[in-house]
Structures are given as structure tokens and as C-alpha cells.
Amino acid sequence: MNVTFSKAAAPKTGALAIPVFERGMKSKGFAALDKASGGHLTRAAKAGDFTGKQGQKLVITSPGKLPNSHVILLGAGKAGDLSLLKAEDIGGRTIAAIYRGPVKAVTFMLEGFEQDGMEMAQLHAHIAYGARLRAYSFDKYRTTAKKEDLPSLNKIAINSPEASAVRAVFEDLEAVAEGVFITRDLVSEPANFLYPESFAQTCRDLESLGLKVSILGEKEMEKLGMGSLLGVGQGSRRESKIAVMEWRGGKKGDRPVAFVGKGVTFDTGGISLKPGQGMWDMKFDMGGAGAVTGAMAALAKRGAKANVVGLIGLVENMPDGNAQRPGDVVTSMSGQTIEVLNTDAEGRLVLADVMTYAQEKYSPKIMIDLATLTGAIIISLAHEFGGMFSNDEDLCAALDEAAKEVGEDLWRMPLTKAHDKMIDSDIADMKNISNGRAGGSSTAAAFLKRFVKEGVEWAHLDIAGVAWADKAKPTVPKGGSGYGVRLLDNYIRRFHEGE
Ligand code: BES
Ligand code: ZN
Ligand code: ZN
């Protein structure tokens, strides 16, 4: 997708998009185009009941005397109520209206679209960002789709009086969007193509961005004593892997922030087999690892001034003659033993060893893990929030702020001594499930907490409800959502860069 910026007059071809504040039809930008259309735009707005309310949209085909194929009017709500997130939605909604169909190019006419107290370049760049984020699809396996069902849009033009400043702001945003696309591609990829080895290869390919990438195979993991992770992968024909991506953009010697991701490339449940209905969803059980990978790519692409290391545990959870059994006891890299009562509670087993490795090898001050860890978090928070569990108030506050700013909201969940007690085992140091289903997300978090070292500020983000979008949102098409990339990137930008 080509995104361009200019101050030139409206192009004569393609579609034009105009955001309009509520009852803002007299603004300079709109009025000029309306005049050029011979009053067609105001007539169409009237006939279509378009007043500029937030979220309204009107697609006008053959707009009167204008030579363009379409004019799209977007409601921007009350002047004064605009935020950067709302600006992104305007961009995204525009693309949603025309992405599949004949339109090849769309130009946003933004002259006069501004708000007191908001930098114009920021506002216009975020419209472009929202548009870019929505202009994504995963069509690689469709061979018989009709042309009109596939995207033909290949150009987004921004027409702004501050074109060059908008371009400068957009550069960093585009880096993040590209990280989001890497994650969406990974999350949507079927598990016969995306398995630990092929996922690790995708990480290795990111070396071209300046990341240092290393891969551990099963031999190395055995040497390190990672019985917990290896137990999950032992029923699979595919070799388990850990991929480590390092970005050293900060001061030499500064302890890094560690991102840890659950990368179960397919979760059948293992011997504690899941029901067939809906099992296909479990190709996205690598959403945490996907988010970490996309975030590392985004940080590298925009040259973040911070030290960050991303570690992902890549495993396929399969039932097999060699698979681990319910009741097996495994020894984790930390030395703690685990009674595996349910082989479907495998994510925590994978994360335990990756978290231990992260802390021993990289001594992070802060460690944040992301995982599609529990169905229970969907019962609690639906598909609206990621669940946040943490041992540190300040880290929670920072993540919450970073999340809100980019529209990837988090909700803090309880994690107490009582939850910890619920995973005590009769025969080992802990068990991997508690007795009932009560508080399933909190007991999973309590399990992870047992692998966090003294002094490490840690947060666990359960993203089972948000890694996949069943329904499109303005800036997120259906499918792998890319949730977490913008959040992690913004957290680093806001709290680890800048001095
Ligand atoms: N990958 C699942 C959790 C999940 C469920 C992610 C739905 C996305 C959508 C996880 O490995 C799992 O199976 N968890 C079990 C835990 C239980 C056995 C304690 C669950 O949530 O049912
Ligand atoms: Zn599972
Ligand atoms: Zn799982």
C-alpha cells in the first residue's frame, strides 16, 4: 500500500474522502468541493440524512460535476470532541467502505479539518494511520475469489496543508502498522504452515531489521533443564523452539525490558483433548508470541531508543503415543516440579521455562508476558479488554495508560495469596490447574508468578479474548487482530525512551 502526502488540489481520479464535523458542512474544505460538485454533496448529504455525527458515513457515487468516482463523507462528531483514536477510526471507516471493490486510490481531503489544541500534523497523520491499519487482508489462500471480492485499493493519499509534517509523523506510525501486520499474518496463518520451526524462521528473517535473533532447539532446552516446556511439545512431530529477538537501541548496560510470548502454534489440548467444535480457533494460540514478534519488528523499524528483548516459546500441543499424560510430573528450568493434571493447561507450562530463561540470561528489570492463556478471561472480560495481572502498581498504571492511548484496553484482574494456594499439589511443588474452574485466569496467573524472581517487576497479559477479531472494528479487520503490538510499542515509547 502506497501512502502519499501532498498539498496539491484534489486529484481528478479515484475516490475522495472528507471528514465532516457535526453540522460542519459549511467548513472551507467541504464547501469548496461541494461547489465543484455543483451542490451535489449537500444534496446527497440531505437525502442520506448525513449530519456529520460521529461514526456516520455516506458513500456518494458519481458525485455530480466532480470527475471522481466516489466521494465518501465521514462523520467526525462534535468539533472539540475529536481525539487521535477517533481520527484513526475515521481513516479506518473510510477504507472499510471501499476496500473490496473497484476503487484503486483514495484521497483524504483534510484542509480545514482541524481542532483547537490539537496539532494538525498529528491529527492528519492519525487519519492516515487508521486508514493504513484497516487496509489489510489475509487472502493468500483464496484462489477462486472474484475480482470484486478482493482488494484493489493500492493508494492512500493525504491532502493536507501541512503535508510534509504529516509525512514525518506518519513514518513512525507506519513502522508500528507494519509490526501489526506481521502479527496479523502470523495469527491468521493455519497451523499446517505455521509451526515452531517456520515461526522461528520468520523471526530469523527479522535480522534484516537490525534485531539480533537466536533460536534454541530441543537439545539446548534439554541441557537447560526445560522439562516444563519440553513436556508440552513431546507429543508433536514438530520440534519445539524458543526464539529470542534482541533490540539494543538504548544505553549500553541498561537492563532490558523483556517481552515473553506464548507461542502454541496449535493447541489440541493434548491427551486432555479439546472438543472438535471450535478447535480450529486454536491456531491463534500463538497470539502472545505473535504480538511480541510484531512489537520487536516495530521497535526495530522505528529505531526505538531502548533495550528490549523478546522471547517466545514455540510448541505444538498434540495427543500422541509419546504425549505427556495427565498426572505426569515434570521439572522446570527453575528446579520447581509441576504435576500436570490437565495437558490443556499448557500455556503456563511453556511460559514458565521461557520466563526463567529470560530472567537468568537477560536480567530484565521489567518482564511482561502475553498469552492466549485462558478461556476464563473471555468469560470475565468478553472481547473488550486484555486481562492484566501484576506484582507492581506502577507497572500496571504505566501499561494501563499506554494501552488506553492506542485503544488496546486492559483491565486489571486480582492475583492474591488465595489464588496461589489453589495450585498447591499433593505430590509436587505445584499443579497446573486448580480444583475447580473458579477464578481460572487468576490461578493461571498465580502459576506464572511462581516463576518470577524476587525484584523483577512483572505483568501478565491474558489476551485470549482479543487476539482474534470475530467482528471487524474501524481499524481492525476480521481475523488476527494484531492486539498487543501497539500497546507494547507505546509502553516502550512512553516509559523507556526520551531521556
Ligand atoms: N489456549 C487455551 C485458552 C484459550 C481458550 C485461548 C479460548 C483462546 C480462546 C488454553 O491453553 C486452555 O486450553 N486453557 C484451559 C485451561 C483449563 C484446562 C484449566 C481453558 O481455558 O479451558
Ligand atoms: Zn490448552
Ligand atoms: Zn493454549
Side-chain angles (χ1 to χ4, degrees), residues 89-112:
D89 281 1
I90 288 169
R93 280 209 178 88
T94 307
I95 301 303
I98 53 168
Y99 190 54
R100 287 177 203 272
V103 178
K104 289 200 172 65
V106 60
T107 302
F108 285 85
M109 302 299 297
L110 301 180
E111 192 185 353

Side-chain angles (χ1 to χ4, degrees), residues 262 267-269 274 282 285 317 343-347 373:
K262 167 179 173 182
D267 181 11
T268 64
K274 286 181 181 295
M282 286 301 108
D285 209 19
N317 188 21
T343 63
D344 194 14
E346 84 298 339
L373 203 65

Side-chain angles (χ1 to χ4, degrees), residues 167-214:
R167 180 188 290 120
V169 176
F170 183 73
E171 252 173 42
D172 267 12
L173 298 175
E174 190 173 38
V176 182
E178 283 167 4
V180 171
F181 300 150
I182 289 174
T183 305
R184 288 179 184 169
D185 283 348
L186 286 166
V187 171
S188 294
E189 190 68 46
N192 57 331
F193 291 101
L194 190 76
Y195 44 89
E197 169 106 55
S198 59
F199 196 141
Q201 185 56 45
T202 302
C203 297
R204 217 179 263 128
D205 294 344
L206 298 179
E207 276 193 326
S208 61
L209 302 177
L211 290 163
K212 185 176 164 210
V213 180
S214 43

Side-chain angles (χ1 to χ4, degrees), residues 206-336:
L206 298 179
E207 276 193 326
S208 61
L209 302 177
L211 290 163
K212 185 176 164 210
V213 180
S214 43
I215 311 290
L216 306 185
E218 289 186 354
K219 270 215 183 89
E220 287 106 321
M221 292 191 248
E222 265 157 38
K223 270 199 207 125
L224 290 161
M226 295 186 172
S228 183
L229 183 153
L230 287 167
V232 177
Q234 92 190 20
S236 169
R237 299 276 180 107
R238 310 283 195 187
E239 185 183 348
S240 301
K241 304 275 182 189
I242 288 177
V244 184
M245 294 158 274
E246 279 177 82
W247 176 251
R248 298 267 170 198
K251 288 194 204 99
K252 242 190 157 167
D254 266 5
R255 287 164 72 190
V257 174
F259 296 152
V260 174
K262 167 179 173 182
V264 175
T265 56
F266 198 80
D267 181 11
T268 64
I271 296 299
S272 311
L273 193 63
K274 286 181 181 295
Q277 179 64 29
M279 198 201 275
W280 47 82
D281 275 350
M282 286 301 108
K283 73 171 181 180
F284 77 70
D285 209 19
M286 36 52 68
V292 169
T293 306
M296 294 308 297
L299 294 173
K301 277 173 187 269
R302 70 173 180 79
K305 292 187 177 57
N307 295 335
V308 185
V309 56
L311 304 100
I312 57 178
L314 301 168
V315 173
E316 190 183 50
N317 188 21
M318 298 292 271
D320 175 76
N322 192 47
Q324 71 181 342
R325 294 144 292 258
D328 282 3
V329 173
V330 296
T331 303
S332 66
M333 182 181 174
S334 73
Q336 299 175 94

